[in-house]
Amino acid sequence: QVQLVESGGGLVQAGGSLRLSCAASGRTFSSYAMGWFRQAPGKEREFVAAISWSGGSTYYADSVKGRFTISRDNAKNTVYLQMNSLKPEDTAVYYCAADPVPSSSWPDYDYWGQGTQVTVSS
């Protein structure tokens, strides 16, 4: 069982930056791949980024490649999403999720956080 709590969302102007954090409970965090997804009002949940259990492999949606960076600190049971050059279209609720294997498909993930709102103003 893994419990996830996101933080770090907020309101930022276009071009700005935010860093999201996802703190995990449980001793098995380091054995899980982690993903970030987002969902805007009226839209489906979409993949943002994922990272392998070791942090050695990372994956990104084309829409965020070069702007967002996913990382993890297994000693702190935390995964991060550094978001730079934010755009209004990045506005969404951001969720972190855990699964044994990294995936860009949200149904593959077993555990989810409650989400954190990111709003980018133009």
Side-chain angles (χ1 to χ4, degrees):
Q1 190 83 6
V2 178
Q3 293 183 328
L4 306 171
V5 179
E6 301 98 335
S7 61
L11 173 64
V12 63
Q13 289 188 334
S17 298
L18 282 174
R19 188 175 82 154
L20 305 184
S21 299
C22 174
S25 65
R27 299 180 180 178
T28 59
F29 172 76
S30 60
S31 64
Y32 281 89
M34 299 296 295
W36 284 98
F37 291 79
R38 65 187 182 187
Q39 188 165 18
K43 294 188 177 181
E44 292 189 354
R45 189 167 299 192
E46 66 171 355
F47 170 72
V48 176
I51 189 167
S52 62
W53 66 270
S54 67
S57 297
T58 56
Y59 312 85
Y60 296 94
D62 288 342
S63 59
V64 307
K65 203 170 291 183
R67 300 188 298 123
F68 291 11
T69 302
I70 189 171
S71 62
R72 67 189 297 161
D73 185 338
N74 286 343
K76 296 182 178 180
N77 280 11
T78 302
V79 63
Y80 305 97
L81 185 68
Q82 177 67 44
M83 305 186 296
N84 299 329
S85 302
L86 282 161
K87 305 175 181 180
E89 52 263 44
D90 294 319
T91 296
V93 177
Y94 283 70
Y95 300 89
C96 67
D99 193 74
V101 179
S103 171
S104 61
S105 177
W106 69 263
D108 290 342
Y109 286 78
D110 294 330
Y111 303 104
W112 291 84
Q114 83 290 349
T116 185
Q117 176 70 47
V118 171
T119 303
V120 184
S121 64
S122 57

